[in-house]
Amino acid sequence: MKGIAAGIGVVVLSPLLLAGTAMMMASSSEASTTASFSGCLTGIDTGEVTKEVTKLLDGASGKDVHIQGLDLPAEQIPNAQAIVATGISLNVPKKGQIIAIATAMQESRLRNLNSGDRDSLGLFQQRPSQGWGTAQQIRDPVYASERFYKALLKVDGWQQMKVTQAAQAVQKSGYPDAYAQWEDLATALQKAIAATFPNADKDEPTKAKAKDAESSSGCAPDKDGTSFGRIPEGSVPKGYKIPKDADPKARKAIEWAMHQLGTMYQWGGSCTDAHGPDPMGRCDCSSLMQQAYAHADVNLTRTTYTQVNGGKAVSAKHLKPGDLIFSRGTAARPEHVGMYMGEGLVIEAPRTSKPVRITPIKDWDILAVRRVL
């Protein structure tokens, strides 16, 4: 777990670039980019790349990390990490993630550029004028990756294409063969980074029941949250207060989680800096639970699959503020977790493109409940 817990989201993205450097590096003006690198990067040692990526994600200085083809690993690897994490969260196959990394290597050298050819911006040098989004959106690595993947998935037969052909089908570059030179490096980076994410290659959920977990079939809490009406995403419903009888540690955890409301979900994000510039500092469902309780001096494991075995099982009829509620998948291997807040409400980091939010418990198909206090 050390490689997962410490490796996800500990590197702070550095998006502020000198304009001159950005323009020199922006590879939408690809003539200068391709001229600066001749031939293909071949003979990449995937094991060595994995070792170096892990070093950086575990907190090593970029000066101590050396990967062929990456001149600024402290900046480039977190951007590759955002691309892979976004691909995983959207269920894009490994090949699609490799295509995305190779594309970003060619277009920006995996740097979140603030300028380029004409109005091109960001990792993939997408253009606001061509409908890719606003300048601010394109400069968000997660948004930019999502838009690339959505465009890729619309390409008929992309999985049967060569990496450079698929990339070109999306980018429509004046240098259609340029992406090929990055395939080996992109493959090594995808493998190294995917290995740092919990359950990135998880098996199909088992049908067995989790030890001591209680399924809540036919059970429901007394309050279902409907009294608050529609709850705008990222907001606290009018009239809600943490119940007075809440355990003090549960109160701290709920209060901390509420301070993350409105921050965008990031699959594999550490939730250590949800309001910061690094997408990997944002929260996914289980890291929101882990960090909320960490601020109440309670240690939780990192994933839903392990959190469902923490504490003790309780019935959904007898929920208390701070209880962890699991849904999706099975009771043994749930795929989602939220925290009960009392009054029939749950706080959660729901999924890609959605913010941390509060939802009524009536919207939850509860598989298991664990009390960790």
Side-chain angles (χ1 to χ4, degrees):
M1 287 300 290
K2 179 182 178 183
I4 294 173
I8 298 176
V10 296
V11 180
V12 177
L13 193 63
S14 301
L16 301 177
L17 303 174
L18 293 174
T21 302
M23 293 183 70
M24 288 173 62
M25 291 294 297
S27 60
S28 270
S29 70
E30 289 154 325
S32 61
T33 299
T34 51
S36 66
F37 189 90
S38 58
C40 295
L41 273 177
T42 58
I44 297 290
D45 185 336
T46 300
E48 186 63 25
V49 170
T50 299
K51 184 178 77 172
E52 295 296 296
V53 167
T54 302
K55 272 171 51 179
L56 184 69
L57 296 181
D58 278 341
S61 167
K63 296 178 181 178
D64 300 324
V65 174
H66 305 285
I67 298 175
Q68 185 183 4
L70 299 186
D71 296 327
L72 298 167
E75 183 177 345
Q76 293 163 307
I77 290 174
N79 287 331
Q81 187 186 41
I83 291 171
V84 172
T86 303
I88 292 171
S89 71
L90 295 174
N91 295 316
V92 176
K94 180 173 73 172
K95 182 174 181 179
Q97 298 168 36
I98 292 170
I99 293 167
I101 294 173
T103 300
M105 274 300 303
Q106 172 60 24
E107 298 293 349
S108 69
R109 292 298 188 270
L110 275 173
R111 300 179 70 187
N112 195 14
L113 301 180
N114 57 13
S115 63
D117 178 48
R118 288 170 285 188
D119 58 338
S120 299
L121 297 166
L123 292 175
F124 298 93
Q125 289 290 278
Q126 295 156 332
R127 298 178 60 193
S129 64
Q130 299 301 307
W132 287 96
T134 66
Q136 183 178 6
Q137 288 174 325
I138 291 171
R139 290 268 296 134
D140 181 333
V142 174
Y143 174 88
S145 299
E146 286 179 3
R147 288 303 308 270
F148 178 85
Y149 284 127
K150 288 177 181 178
L152 175 66
L153 295 176
K154 290 179 181 178
V155 175
D156 187 33
W158 70 267
Q159 292 198 62
Q160 285 71 52
M161 295 179 180
K162 294 180 180 179
V163 167
T164 194
Q165 291 173 329
Q168 171 63 5
V170 175
Q171 299 296 103
K172 297 178 174 58
S173 164
Y175 297 83
D177 299 322
Y179 305 101
Q181 63 187 322
W182 306 112
E183 182 173 352
D184 285 0
L185 177 59
T187 301
L189 286 172
Q190 190 280 333
K191 182 175 181 179
I193 292 168
T196 70
F197 288 108
N199 306 295
D201 298 313
K202 60 182 180 291
D203 297 326
E204 289 297 313
T206 176
K207 299 297 183 181
K209 290 185 178 181
K211 182 180 180 182
D212 296 327
E214 293 187 14
S215 171
S216 64
S217 300
C219 298
D222 293 335
K223 296 182 179 180
D224 63 6
T226 55
S227 63
F228 292 99
R230 180 182 173 275
I231 305 171
E233 287 191 334
S235 68
V236 178
K238 185 177 180 180
Y240 169 78
K241 292 183 179 180
I242 301 174
K244 293 181 179 179
D245 60 351
D247 182 288
K249 290 189 175 182
R251 179 179 295 275
K252 283 186 178 180
I254 293 170
E255 287 176 346
W256 188 89
M258 288 171 66
H259 280 95
Q260 317 316 311
L261 285 169
T263 62
M264 296 305 291
Y265 176 98
Q266 174 60 53
W267 196 94
S270 66
C271 203
T272 53
D273 189 15
H275 296 273
D278 182 2
M280 300 315 298
R282 299 173 189 166
C283 309
D284 65 14
C285 65
S286 54
S287 67
L288 177 63
M289 303 299 105
Q290 183 187 46
Q291 291 302 318
Y293 265 113
H295 285 77
D297 297 320
V298 176
N299 294 323
L300 299 185
T301 54
R302 175 62 182 85
T303 71
T304 55
Y305 303 127
T306 52
Q307 288 177 1
V308 77
N309 294 313
K312 64 179 180 180
V314 296
S315 169
K317 280 188 173 182
H318 304 293
L319 291 172
K320 290 184 178 182
D323 286 346
L324 302 186
I325 300 173
F326 297 86
S327 68
R328 305 177 197 163
T330 69
R333 289 176 64 83
E335 297 174 358
H336 188 55
V337 61
M339 183 184 297
Y340 187 62
M341 302 172 63
E343 304 300 320
L345 299 176
V346 184
I347 189 165
E348 62 168 345
R351 59 183 172 82
T352 297
S353 79
K354 291 289 184 179
V356 175
R357 65 187 183 184
I358 294 173
T359 52
I361 201 167
K362 71 176 181 63
D363 293 343
W364 285 67
D365 180 16
I366 304 174
L367 296 172
V369 179
R370 306 296 292 193
R371 184 162 297 154
V372 297
L373 296 174

